[in-house]
Amino acid sequence: MSEDAHGLPPTSSVRRWLVTTNHKDVGILYVVTSLFFLAFGGVLALLVRLQLWSPGAGLLSSMSYNQTVSAHGLIMVFWFLSPFAFGFANYVVPLQIGAKDLAFPRLNALSYWLYLASGLLLGASFFQGGTFAGGWTMYAPLNVPVYTPQIGASTAVLALVLFVASVTVSSVNFLTTMHRMRAEGLTLRRLPLFSWTILLTVWMMLFAFAALLAALVILSSDRLLGTTYFTAKAGGSLLWAHLFWFFGHPEVYIVFFPALGVMAETFQTFTGRRIVGRKWFIAAMVLVALQSFTVWMHHMFLTGINLQIKTLFMVTTIGISLPFDLMVFALIYTLIKGRVRFTTPFLFSFGALMLFILGGITGVFLGAVVLDYEFRGTYWVVAHFHYVMVGGVTALVGGLYYWFPKMTGKMYDRTLGKVHFALYFVGFNLLYFPMFLAWETPRRDFFYDPAFVTEHRLATVGAAILGVSFLVMFYNLSKSLVAGEQADDNPWAYSTTTEWALPSPPPLENFPDAPSFSSGSLRFGRGAADGGERSEATRASSDQLSGGGEQADGLRASSDQLSGGGERSEATRTSSDRRSDGGVVAHGETAGGADNGEDHASIWPFAISVAAFFTFLGLSGFERGELVPGVGGLLALSSLVLGVALGGYSLVEMARERFEGPTGPFGESWPFDGIENGKLGVWIFLASDVVLFGAFVGSYVFIRVAHGWRDWHALVPEAHVPLPGLINTYLLLTSSFTVVLALVAAERKSRRGLVAALAATFGLGVAFLVNKALEWQHLFHVHSEAFPHGWELGTNVASSTFYLTTGLHGAHVVVGLLISLYLLVRAWNGAYLDDERPVEYFGLYWHFVDIVWLFLFPLFYIL
């Protein structure tokens, strides 16, 4: 089976989908996989509705029902909603911003494979005595083994950890791409609205999911190692609520913002008008993204938080609704001023707007402290939540129909599309609206007042109709993919973004030449900025092609025009002639064959994800630091060893692999002009790490204050003295100095100096870990009247916070040592003298680890 010049097999080959790193392929993988999880979560939802046909026990046992409800929520929120949106983001955003691919193609593939591995891990949890059964919010203390003792419950938690790893990799990639790789002239002000929503979504994801990661790591430690964070009598349960909802409320907007972007794009396309008040629409989205981190405690009005704080968060909750009002009115006025075309994508987007309005209004009720006391824990919350979240799904389904012709080159059956919408809209409202009427039904409980039987049976019928609507969609799209009519490159008369100026589907590297908006028009090639020739079809203004202006009729660029037909500049002609090799030029650079073009194939992201699956599956076999007894423990240990070995080998091979990704110069890079992609990626990753450590430090402070700041000392043995921490402080500060010396040596092309400095850094890091291990060993075996069994991880909450927080820092040191060892081996062979950037990136990471220790030392050794 032949491969192209970039090592990619044809799309008909299974191997193509295992090795591809191209953003369009990865986008398709995300969409298809997320639709599988939609079906998975949908089946679980139908089981719940069948159980609720009558009050009391029925189809499922109590534990099975709890697991079904919990798994349905987790799958839909994590494994369907956001990945479905980011399937479109992967495919469309690089096209809209004029990029050939995402900044780090292999990391993009890795993010997908980690996502799939995490979903498979959740599926495996069903076969380990049952999956997690404590609700999708995983409230403490129901999330600890005393109440959810199944091994599968631990596996579900670890699956979420792996999912967050996927999100973090993806976030770094998207933010680097969107801030560094926009086409010339495509400023943030001109960015298409869908890309704007993705940009803001990814910024929210970077920080919100870091807080969730902290909560999940702590929960994993409580379950697997025996720490006592969430079983602490003072503040344990409340700590989980703070950590979870600091993530959980931004997650609502993380899910809804891409849907909002789809609504904005489709409203513009199918009304023939730009969004009314576009700049205010963008400002409102930015304001919501910022405010989303200031409202989390409205989920905690029933806790013991004092009334003044509850009132403050009631105000912020009502405040965040105001920018949404602006956006809703902007969409409505766009409809009023435009000429509506009732296509399938528009119908779903319009339906989403109506559903969201109802969901938003009912949510404002919950923002009032007094009303929240009445509604919390009832089906009013369930109905509101689904009108918002599944309302977002409605718009995303519209996005699937909108971009299906671009992604496949085939047109869907228009009649079946409208049948799908009719069934969907009827089923949705029949399913969720009766829940408002039966709001007194207790949430997550199949016992309810028989007076609400009619409402629940209507909801069950609605669920069946909603499920049938998706069967219509699957049939429509699969039939169209095989035998559908060929789609035009631009099937929509008034589309406003750059992807519609390309063939359907677009070529491997997207553009026939470097796109530019600098002249006020979309142009391609070396002469773009100087007004080179172009076809009539590409003579649309940059405002029109970025959502910034009213759409003209002229944007009907055919594949012939953009791949060789019609008039075009010499640069464009040269590029399209080369496109059979997959090469495109960037601002005049040549990019012909495999020698100087980009690569699109690597097996190592897939291999790393397989290793991660087995590693995390193995970790699930631990409880309180020990393997579960019997065959299960042996299998877990074997899985862990296999995963670690395969992961280590795959990471080294991925690092050694020669892989050419997108290279500059790029176009617009504000506010990161002059910072190349690798450095920006490291900075963005460290920003998320700041939140991770901040959440750990905040958890320590929260629990200590809840326990009593001075009383805390009674939980710590006298043998816990500052000296080991002080020695480690000097070791790390010295290692930061040696890292600086390594960079200086690389810049001066001194191989001996570089090797010596890296070796010194490695040695100091090892000394830090040895000193830490000796300290821990001493504390483990402290024997006194207060601590007859030593001071171990689970002795008390003080030992738990000390070992876990400093242990997380130690894990970062271990990662740094592995990187430094790799750099050392390569430097010994003469690397980094001509390109010192890897040493600089390592230095940024290592300095961050050292700075974190400067905060941990006084907290855990002095105060």
Side-chain angles (χ1 to χ4, degrees):
M1 192 170 293
S2 62
E3 297 181 350
D4 66 15
H6 302 274
L8 271 183
T11 55
S12 59
S13 166
V14 173
R15 185 171 180 271
R16 161 67 171 254
W17 302 100
L18 297 178
V19 303
T20 185
T21 65
N22 184 263
H23 74 95
K24 295 183 291 296
D25 291 345
V26 174
I28 291 172
L29 287 170
Y30 264 110
V31 169
V32 172
T33 306
S34 63
L35 289 174
F36 165 77
F37 284 111
L38 167 66
F40 188 180
V43 169
L44 296 177
L46 288 172
L47 289 176
V48 171
R49 291 312 319 169
L50 288 173
Q51 181 84 351
L52 294 171
W53 183 259
S54 299
L59 182 67
L60 302 171
S61 67
S62 298
M63 182 56 70
S64 296
Y65 180 82
N66 289 340
Q67 291 177 3
T68 302
V69 170
S70 304
H72 163 72
L74 290 170
I75 289 170
M76 289 304 202
V77 171
F78 293 103
W79 280 278
F80 168 59
L81 282 167
S82 288
F84 188 40
F86 271 79
F88 303 136
N90 266 275
Y91 200 101
V92 173
V93 166
L95 300 176
Q96 289 193 345
I97 69 174
K100 293 188 287 184
D101 207 321
L102 291 176
F104 311 112
R106 289 187 298 175
L107 291 187
N108 193 31
L110 179 62
S111 70
Y112 166 74
W113 290 114
L114 289 176
Y115 156 61
L116 178 60
S118 68
L120 295 177
L121 198 61
L122 181 73
S125 69
F126 283 87
F127 303 97
Q128 294 179 298
T131 190
F132 190 81
W136 81 271
T137 53
M138 295 184 165
Y139 281 142
L142 293 178
N143 53 15
V144 298
V146 172
Y147 299 101
T148 48
Q150 302 88 351
I151 295 176
S154 296
T155 306
V157 174
L158 291 170
L160 280 170
V161 173
L162 196 55
F163 178 83
V164 175
S166 164
V167 168
T168 303
V169 171
S170 179
S171 299
V172 170
N173 207 355
F174 267 91
L175 289 174
T176 303
T177 302
M178 299 186 74
H179 281 297
R180 282 277 306 142
M181 296 175 62
R182 302 190 305 276
E184 187 178 24
L186 188 61
T187 61
L188 281 177
R189 183 180 64 83
R190 291 175 167 177
L191 202 65
L193 287 176
F194 179 72
S195 291
W196 252 116
T197 60
I198 296 300
L199 179 63
L200 294 173
T201 297
V202 176
W203 273 116
M204 288 188 286
M205 290 170 67
L206 185 76
F207 299 121
F209 275 93
L212 177 63
L213 180 60
L216 292 171
V217 170
I218 293 172
L219 177 56
S220 298
S221 177
D222 277 9
R223 295 190 65 91
L224 306 180
L225 302 178
T227 52
T228 58
Y229 272 82
F230 297 131
T231 54
K233 293 181 179 179
S237 297
L238 201 57
L239 172 63
W240 171 266
H242 277 294
L243 289 173
F244 182 85
W245 287 118
F246 187 80
F247 148 80
H249 201 82
E251 170 68 2
V252 174
Y253 307 111
I254 287 168
V255 167
F256 189 76
F257 262 36
L260 185 65
V262 171
M263 291 161 64
E265 296 289 358
T266 53
F267 275 33
Q268 290 184 137
T269 296
F270 299 114
T271 62
R273 282 199 59 90
R274 61 175 291 176
I275 289 291
V276 172
R278 182 179 188 273
K279 65 180 180 180
W280 297 109
F281 192 92
I282 294 171
M285 289 194 297
V286 173
L287 190 58
V288 167
L290 294 173
Q291 286 183 280
S292 68
F293 290 94
T294 67
V295 297
W296 80 92
M297 267 195 262
H298 75 223
H299 294 274
M300 302 166 62
F301 283 161
L302 267 64
T303 65
I305 298 170
N306 68 55
L307 183 60
Q308 288 79 10
I309 293 179
K310 291 178 181 178
T311 303
L312 173 64
F313 277 84
M314 181 175 68
V315 172
T316 61
T317 300
I318 295 172
I320 203 172
S321 68
L322 300 179
F324 267 113
D325 294 341
L326 188 153
M327 289 185 279
V328 167
F329 281 118
L331 293 171
I332 292 173
Y333 279 122
T334 302
L335 296 179
I336 293 172
K337 292 192 173 186
R339 180 185 171 192
V340 176
R341 292 157 182 82
F342 290 94
T343 63
T344 300
F346 174 81
L347 288 172
F348 274 96
S349 293
F350 182 63
L353 177 62
M354 291 192 290
L355 298 175
F356 177 73
I357 290 172
L358 182 56
I361 291 172
T362 55
V364 173
F365 284 69
L366 298 171
V369 176
V370 175
L371 291 177
D372 190 71
Y373 270 69
E374 187 70 18
F375 287 133
R376 183 66 57 185
T378 71
Y379 263 56
W380 181 278
V381 178
V382 177
H384 152 71
F385 182 77
H386 284 84
Y387 263 88
V388 173
M389 302 292 268
V390 188
V393 173
T394 309
L396 293 176
V397 172
L400 179 59
Y401 282 108
Y402 183 61
W403 282 303
F404 181 80
K406 180 58 58 181
M407 298 169 75
T408 65
K410 299 295 182 68
M411 201 66 196
Y412 59 85
D413 186 303
R414 296 168 178 82
T415 300
L416 285 178
K418 292 178 179 179
V419 169
H420 174 204
F421 172 74
L423 289 171
Y424 179 96
F425 201 72
V426 171
F428 181 103
N429 286 285
L430 192 58
L431 168 57
Y432 297 118
F433 192 81
M435 295 181 186
F436 285 122
L437 305 178
W439 67 270
E440 292 176 279
T441 302
R443 191 176 184 183
R444 302 190 186 107
D445 193 344
F446 50 78
F447 288 95
Y448 59 88
D449 191 329
F452 300 126
V453 167
T454 300
E455 287 85 352
H456 280 286
R457 289 185 175 178
L458 284 173
T460 301
V461 172
I465 295 173
L466 188 64
V468 169
S469 79
F470 279 106
L471 293 179
V472 173
M473 183 192 78
F474 287 129
Y475 171 75
N476 183 4
L477 298 185
S478 58
K479 184 197 77 167
S480 300
L481 185 62
V482 174
E485 66 177 273
Q486 201 71 25
D488 293 337
D489 297 335
N490 180 21
W492 317 122
Y494 295 95
S495 53
T496 62
T497 46
T498 311
E499 73 269 25
W500 301 108
L502 295 171
S504 297
L508 184 65
E509 294 192 12
N510 298 345
F511 299 99
D513 211 330
S516 174
F517 294 85
S518 61
S519 66
S521 304
L522 172 63
R523 300 188 182 187
F524 297 94
R526 190 188 305 272
D530 301 321
E533 293 183 51
R534 57 202 169 98
S535 67
E536 181 68 27
T538 60
R539 224 172 264 158
S541 72
S542 58
D543 281 344
Q544 290 167 342
L545 289 175
S546 61
E550 291 189 37
Q551 179 60 43
D553 289 326
L555 185 59
R556 287 186 179 276
S558 70
S559 57
D560 289 340
Q561 290 167 330
L562 289 173
S563 62
E567 295 184 46
R568 53 206 168 114
S569 67
E570 182 64 30
T572 307
R573 189 178 300 115
T574 303
S575 174
S576 60
D577 290 342
R578 284 200 303 264
R579 198 159 63 203
S580 60
D581 293 329
V584 291
V585 300
H587 292 268
E589 295 179 296
T590 58
D595 293 336
N596 57 357
E598 294 177 18
D599 296 315
H600 293 281
S602 176
I603 192 62
W604 300 116
F606 171 73
I608 291 170
S609 300
V610 171
F613 174 84
F614 284 109
T615 300
F616 279 71
L617 189 63
L619 288 173
S620 68
F622 284 83
E623 186 175 339
R624 294 187 173 275
E626 298 180 356
L627 278 170
V628 296
V631 177
L634 182 62
L635 291 175
L637 182 61
S638 302
S639 178
L640 180 60
V641 171
L642 173 63
V644 170
L646 178 59
Y649 175 76
S650 300
L651 285 169
V652 171
E653 289 301 310
M654 183 170 168
R656 293 179 64 244
E657 181 181 47
R658 294 180 61 87
F659 188 91
E660 295 294 332
T663 55
F666 303 111
E668 301 295 331
S669 300
W670 186 87
F672 300 108
D673 297 312
I675 303 173
E676 53 86 32
N677 287 359
K679 183 186 290 188
L680 181 58
V682 173
W683 281 4
I684 292 171
F685 168 74
L686 294 180
S688 72
D689 229 14
V690 168
V691 177
L692 175 66
F693 275 106
F696 266 83
V697 170
S699 298
Y700 163 75
V701 173
F702 181 85
I703 287 188
R704 182 167 176 177
V705 169
H707 185 275
W709 189 267
R710 294 186 178 278
D711 297 340
W712 190 262
H713 295 289
L715 304 178
V716 181
E718 293 182 0
H720 182 43
V721 295
L723 183 60
L726 183 62
I727 294 172
N728 272 344
T729 302
Y730 283 118
L731 289 172
L732 285 185
L733 289 176
T734 306
S735 70
S736 269
F737 178 67
T738 59
V739 168
V740 173
L741 292 179
L743 181 58
V744 171
E747 291 173 342
R748 294 181 177 180
K749 303 188 185 305
S750 171
R751 174 175 168 271
R752 180 178 299 178
L754 176 59
V755 170
L758 286 174
T761 303
F762 181 80
L764 290 166
V766 170
F768 173 92
L769 292 179
V770 169
N771 185 47
K772 174 62 66 179
L774 292 174
E775 178 195 15
W776 282 20
Q777 185 70 10
H778 174 62
L779 292 174
F780 283 162
H781 295 90
V782 164
H783 294 292
S784 64
E785 183 178 345
F787 304 100
H789 303 293
W791 202 56
E792 299 179 340
L793 274 77
T795 300
N796 55 44
V797 71
S799 67
S800 294
T801 55
F802 169 73
Y803 287 121
L804 191 57
T805 307
T806 58
L808 176 69
H809 177 267
H812 278 70
V813 173
V814 170
V815 171
L817 289 179
L818 293 174
I819 297 172
S820 68
L821 183 61
Y822 176 81
L823 296 176
L824 179 60
V825 172
R826 293 207 64 218
W828 181 269
N829 294 320
Y832 312 125
L833 301 182
D834 295 324
D835 183 5
E836 72 279 359
R837 288 177 299 174
V839 179
E840 182 184 5
Y841 304 158
F842 167 68
L844 292 173
Y845 173 83
W846 193 256
H847 295 322
F848 170 78
V849 171
D850 295 352
I851 291 170
V852 169
W853 181 254
L854 295 180
F855 285 91
L856 299 187
F857 172 61
L859 272 175
F860 288 99
Y861 289 89
I862 298 176
L863 298 178

